[in-house]
Structure formats: C-alpha cells, structure tokens
Amino acid sequence: MDEGIQREALVATLAAIADRIESEKDHLTDLDSAIGDADHGANLHRGFQAALDGADPDDDPAAFVKAAGMALLSKVGGASGPLYGGSLAVASSEFEEGITTESSVAFAEAYLEKVKDRGGASVGDKTMVDALTPAVHTYKRAIEVDDLDPLAALSKAVDATERGVRFTTPIRASKGRASYLGWRSVGHPDPGATSTLYLLEEIHDVAAEYLDGEAATVVDAAAETEAEEGSGVEE
Amino acid sequence: MKKLINEPEDVVDEMLEGMVAAHPEYVRRLEGTNVLVRADAPVEGMVGIVSGGGSGHEPTHAGYLGEGMLTGAAAGEVFTSPTADQLQGMIAACEGGAGVLCVVKNYEGDVMNFETAIELAELEGETDVEYVVVDDDVAVEDSLYTSGRRGVCGTILVHKIAGAAAARGDDLSEVKRLAEKVVDGVGTMGMALTSCTTPEKGEPTFDLPDDEIELGIGIHGEPGVERTDVMGADAVAEHLTERVLEDLDLAEGARVATIVNGMGATPLMELYVVNRRVQELLDERGFDVGECWVGDYMTSLDMAGCSVTVLELDEELEELLGAPADTPALTVRGD
C-alpha cells in the first residue's frame, strides 16, 4: 500500500471506530453499570468523536495515530484515557516507517505492552487485557508462524478477541472497579474487553476494504482450517 | 428520573460556572479547563495542595479550595477522573515555588491520570511534585488480588491536615509525611439506601428494592459488597462504626476525630440520628472524640445513605485538624 492509501485507510478506520462506539455507547454503559460505574460508553464516545474531529488526513501514519491517542488521553478521562489513548500514542512510533505487515505486529505488541504496564493487569483479571492478549498473540502467530497475510491474521485475531471477551464473563474481577464487587462481578462480560473487540472488528472490516480481496478469500479458507489454534486463552 | 440539569454533557461545565459565580472570592477557573484553583493561586513559597476526581461528589473537590485546605481542584466528568493534561495544568498553576502535593483517591483512573500528569509535569520543568494515595475504605480488602482499598470520605481529612501544614509553611516532604500519617490512621465504611442516578444514564445504576440496603459502597454508584434487609439507624451506625474500629485496631483510650457523611440525598436529621449512636458507641468503647463533623462532605450524586469515618489523632494531627480553614464548604475558626 502506498502512503496515500495508508492515510486514507487510517482516516476510514478512525471514522468506523467512532461510528461503532457511538452506536454501542448505551450497550457499553449498560455493561459498565453492571460491574463498574456506568460511564464506559459515554467516555469512549466523547474521546473518539474528539479524535475524529481533530484528525488531520495529511498526517503521516505515526503522527495520525499519535494525535488520535493524545485526543483520547485528553478527552476520555478515567482509566480508559491512559489505557486506550496513552497506549495508542506510545505504540504509534512503530508506524514511523509506515504501515507494513511487520510494523503492524510491532504496533500491536507495543500497544499491549503499554496497556499491561500502565494498568498492571494480566490475563485472568477480567479486564481488556483478557481480550487484547489473545488478539495480539494470535495476530503475531498467524503472520510469523502460519505465514498468513495481514487480513487473514486480523480475522483470526478478531475470533480470538471474541473468545477473550467470553472468557471474562464467568470470572471474578481482580483489577479495575469491578474488583470491588468480588463474586458479584461474576456473570458479566468486561466492558473494556468488549469495547476492545469492537475496535478490532472495525479495524478488520476497514482492512478488508483496502487489502487485496483475492488474497483475503484464500486466507479465509486457511483461517477456517486453523480456527481453533493459537487463541492464547484457556477456556 | 427528574433532574435539574440541561444537557447531560454540559453538567460539569455549568456546575463550575455556577460555583465560580457563587464564590469568586475563593476560586477562579483556569481558562479552557475544568480546573478551579484558589483565587490567589499560586501562593508564593507555599506547598500547593491539589486534588481532583470525578464530578458528582460535591462539595468535593472544589468546595475545599481556600486558605488552609486545597490550592487546586480538577473536576472530571461525572464519576470519571480528570484527564492527565488538565491535571498537569493544575499542578503548574499551583506551584508557588515550594512544590506540589497531589492527594489522589485510590481508583485506577485517578492514579493513572495523576501519574501521567506528574510524568508530563516533570518533563516540562523543575516542578517538585509528590503524591499520596488515600485508601480509607475498610469495606474492601487490601490484597494482591484486588485493586486495593478505595479512597472515600477520609480524603477530606487529608486535604485538611495537609492544607494546614502547607499554610503554616511546612516543606513538601513534611507535608507529605503528615498526609501519609492521616492515610495510615483513617478508616471509612459506607452504606446506601438507594442507588444514585447519573445524568448521562438517567436511571438508577443498580436496583435496590425498598426493603433492602447495600453495605460497603464506594462513592461511584457501584453496588456495595453486601446486601441486607433494612436496618434502623442505630444498627447501621453500629455496623459501620464497628467495621471501621476493627480495621483501625486503636489502643484503648485513643483520641479520634469522626465524620458522619451524607451521600447526597440523606437529610441532616438522619445523619444526626446516626451520629448520636456513633458517638455513644465510641464513648462506650472508651475512645475520646476530638473533632466531630456531620454533613455532606463527599457525596455520590443523589444517593441516599451515609458513611462513617474515624481518624486516629495524635497531638500534631489534632493541632492541624483544628487549625483555621476558610473554604466554601468548610470553615474552621481555629482557637
């Protein structure tokens, strides 16, 4: 992909995410009122709208992603501001040489690393880390071990993220505000894991529009045969 | 649900405008932000004491701006911590040359945004910034497996004592030491008769039938740690006070300060009824009560309920607690 198309794809991705968060805002807030403080949807919506409003389509990929991260950091507040925005801003430096298959893996890993570092959560704490970890591991594995193309790898990553969200439902929270509820947090999916899935789904869908359709078909078949591998999460 | 608001997204901004209009002699707003600072901030040569957190806890935080308490207060969205850039701006505006102490309640959002703000402030210049994390809620366990205890009403006592120490000219490390001493010696436990209703959601955050109450609530409309049948005021007072005393494990004859705090929709009449039993209990146990505060200090929007806070006093804390403070929400005349 040349850089012009990359910029266009990034703007489209941010717009798709902002749109999706807007339509899921009440659902996310409902999930959060079960085990948190009922503001996750409203907060992310405010942040992604600001990111979209402030987006400069002429920015190179690293600057574009960094600006989106800073907008989230300064508009979302709560733990989600530093987690979604701060991590995006830090990971954006992986795109300094442009978006390639390799840099997308590095970006995903840097993002996960910053989320874990800032939030201090690991898999099993009932947080977004439960969705993000299998997503990133699956993506990396699909590309580096299974030799899939990025779109097919993303598709597997989305499946893994979905399993990660399901994994958060029956467990007891030990990080985040839900942890104060103890056993009462059991039975509800984690709102942060859920919104992470929405982001991944939108990234996948926009990528599908921009990446080679023929390659995508081949890979979907490959993805199906290996669908159960490498989720990174014990169910 | 009926509320006296306009658009939910304008609530915080319009509240701050109203506060500044009511108390121009105490507070001013940093332009383009949701940060209020003392009208005379920064105070030359004085350690700045700053705090902040989600809105919906009024008079916390900006109600405590003024002499002898806070220098700066940042208001986040309802129940959402302020953003790191606003906190950074507040720190800069409250630096009078002696450094700044941030008083942070133990919620991940607050802690992460303050940490990010301090990193940003340090990158910018020489500002000497320290922070203390208040975790007085005895209802939740402090263990490796949870996020630690929440910061609730005891935070007001940290504001008061750190603010008094700064006002008399203590340096940053001394102010921090005293603030940490309060954090170590304070405990709070709360309960709810009703859920609160956030402006954004417009309906109660959790369902609570008429014949049940929640024990061990925080201040963000989250359910408590336990639900029980309705109890009378005395039984509630006993339950809350005993849980706090159990946690503090005070020596016999210890001197303490207490707060019976309303969550926003409980009449003072009921708070005084609760306080009556709290004081009886402390007396029965042989404790000696110094300051005894009753009122809405740290609320949770329109939640009905209360919390009981106990702070162990020694001579230096008692002197600072009784030192003069002049703020919109709290006035202490001093001796």
Side-chain angles (χ1 to χ4, degrees):
Chain A
M1 257 197 314
D2 73 30
E3 204 182 293
I5 304 278
Q6 285 188 17
R7 290 180 193 181
E8 202 185 305
L10 279 175
V11 176
T13 305
L14 184 56
I17 288 173
D19 226 36
R20 179 75 184 274
I21 294 295
E22 179 164 23
S23 64
E24 304 279 6
K25 143 171 102 91
D26 293 339
H27 178 56
L28 287 172
T29 293
D30 283 346
L31 290 179
D32 196 25
S33 51
I35 59 172
D37 56 358
D39 63 0
H40 191 56
N43 284 347
L44 281 191
H45 174 55
R46 186 172 57 245
F48 278 109
Q49 279 308 317
L52 189 60
D53 292 345
D56 180 355
D58 293 332
D59 272 346
D60 64 63
F64 185 90
V65 174
K66 184 173 184 186
M70 294 308 284
L72 292 176
L73 192 61
S74 67
K75 283 292 173 196
V76 175
S80 300
L83 290 172
Y84 289 82
S87 306
L88 211 51
V90 167
S92 68
S93 65
E94 302 295 342
F95 286 151
E96 265 160 19
E97 310 291 317
I99 303 178
T100 62
T101 305
E102 271 172 9
S103 71
S104 68
V105 173
F107 170 85
E109 287 190 297
Y111 183 91
L112 172 63
E113 207 45 51
K114 190 64 190 171
V115 167
K116 289 170 80 171
D117 182 44
R118 186 52 94 190
S122 30
V123 168
D125 287 340
K126 197 178 180 100
T127 70
M128 69 170 84
V129 170
D130 292 325
L132 206 52
T133 305
V136 173
H137 289 179
T138 301
Y139 185 67
K140 182 181 165 77
R141 185 194 154 102
I143 284 177
E144 292 180 0
V145 179
D146 302 336
D147 208 20
L148 300 186
D149 71 56
L151 184 58
L154 264 176
S155 166
K156 290 189 76 171
V158 168
D159 292 344
T161 316
E162 245 171 70
R163 288 194 292 274
V165 174
R166 282 206 300 278
F167 166 77
T168 65
T169 303
I171 59 176
R172 176 178 160 159
S174 47
K175 278 280 168 191
R177 214 162 270 172
S179 69
Y180 298 121
L181 297 182
W183 64 266
R184 290 172 81 174
S185 66
V186 167
H188 303 277
D190 180 67
T194 307
S195 59
T196 298
L197 172 63
Y198 297 156
L199 305 195
L200 259 294
E201 284 177 346
E202 294 309 314
I203 291 169
H204 170 271
D205 290 355
V206 175
E209 285 171 34
Y210 281 86
L211 295 173
D212 185 346
E214 196 185 324
T217 327
V218 175
V219 189
D220 273 350
E224 265 175 40
T225 57
E226 299 176 49
E228 293 313 309
E229 286 183 18
S231 79
V233 168
E234 301 290 328
E235 284 187 88
Chain B
M1 183 68 200
K2 289 186 278 193
K3 276 195 182 287
L4 210 44
I5 61 171
N6 299 306
E7 296 305 315
E9 61 268 30
D10 297 333
V11 164
V12 174
D13 182 56
E14 293 178 357
M15 166 186 78
L16 293 174
E17 273 185 41
M19 278 191 89
V20 173
H23 309 291
E25 72 281 26
Y26 288 104
V27 303
R28 66 185 167 85
R29 186 169 179 174
L30 296 187
E31 217 186 308
T33 73
N34 288 344
V35 174
L36 300 191
V37 297
R38 270 174 66 156
D40 58 352
V43 183
E44 186 69 31
M46 190 190 84
V47 172
I49 309 293
V50 303
S51 191
S55 294
H57 307 305
E58 293 68 34
T60 297
H61 302 78
Y64 302 111
L65 286 169
E67 281 180 44
M69 278 186 93
L70 295 179
T71 322
E77 295 299 320
V78 173
F79 293 168
T80 301
S81 87
T83 57
D85 57 335
Q86 300 231 345
L87 294 173
Q88 182 200 356
M90 171 171 72
I91 290 167
C94 295
E95 165 64 281
V100 175
L101 180 74
C102 304
V103 180
V104 187
K105 289 184 295 311
N106 193 32
Y107 290 98
E108 267 125 353
D110 290 314
V111 174
M112 280 183 224
N113 281 290
F114 266 105
E115 280 176 354
T116 307
I118 292 168
E119 280 170 21
L120 294 171
E122 281 166 353
L123 283 175
E124 293 277 305
E126 313 93 72
T127 310
D128 202 0
V129 190
E130 295 281 355
Y131 72 106
V132 293
V133 178
V134 189
D135 58 351
D136 57 316
D137 184 7
V138 305
V140 286
E141 282 178 25
D142 186 15
S143 81
L144 285 175
Y145 306 106
T146 66
S147 295
R149 296 168 20 157
R150 300 173 284 214
V152 286
C153 189
T155 312
I156 305 308
L157 297 168
V158 182
H159 292 166
K160 176 68 188 72
I161 284 167
R168 73 178 176 192
D170 288 7
D171 67 19
L172 181 57
S173 65
E174 180 66 0
V175 173
K176 185 181 179 188
R177 179 186 71 81
L178 289 158
E180 281 179 333
K181 194 171 182 183
V182 180
V183 172
D184 288 343
V186 68
T188 298
M189 170 104 173
M191 59 81 60
L193 299 165
T194 66
S195 167
C196 59
T197 299
T198 61
E200 190 71 44
K201 188 153 190 274
E203 53 190 74
T205 304
F206 58 91
D207 295 320
L208 190 50
D210 276 349
D211 56 351
E212 290 182 333
I213 59 173
E214 286 276 345
L215 295 170
I217 52 155
I219 51 170
H220 297 97
E222 66 268 48
V225 294
E226 187 190 342
R227 180 171 290 198
T228 67
D229 294 340
V230 164
M231 304 185 226
D234 282 2
V236 167
E238 283 158 23
H239 185 93
L240 300 183
T241 310
E242 268 158 21
R243 280 293 301 276
V244 174
L245 291 178
E246 215 170 275
D247 183 83
L248 290 180
D249 197 19
L250 304 170
E252 216 182 304
R255 199 162 158 79
V256 297
T258 61
I259 304 178
V260 170
N261 170 60
M263 302 307 296
T266 293
L268 267 174
M269 182 176 78
E270 294 172 25
L271 297 180
Y272 282 127
V273 170
V274 171
N275 188 52
R276 168 189 145 277
R277 184 66 190 129
V278 170
Q279 300 306 320
E280 273 178 11
L281 259 174
L282 290 167
D283 191 50
E284 284 164 18
R285 301 287 188 84
F287 298 116
D288 194 14
V289 178
E291 298 277 339
C292 169
W293 298 355
V294 178
D296 281 356
Y297 290 92
M298 184 171 294
T299 60
S300 188
L301 291 171
D302 54 352
M303 176 182 272
C306 70
S307 62
V308 171
T309 298
V310 179
L311 167 69
E312 182 176 18
L313 292 174
D314 62 8
E315 266 182 38
E316 65 176 352
L317 293 189
E318 183 148 24
E319 186 188 329
L320 291 162
L321 194 56
D326 186 17
T327 73
L330 180 74
T331 306
V332 178
R333 280 187 297 274
D335 294 323

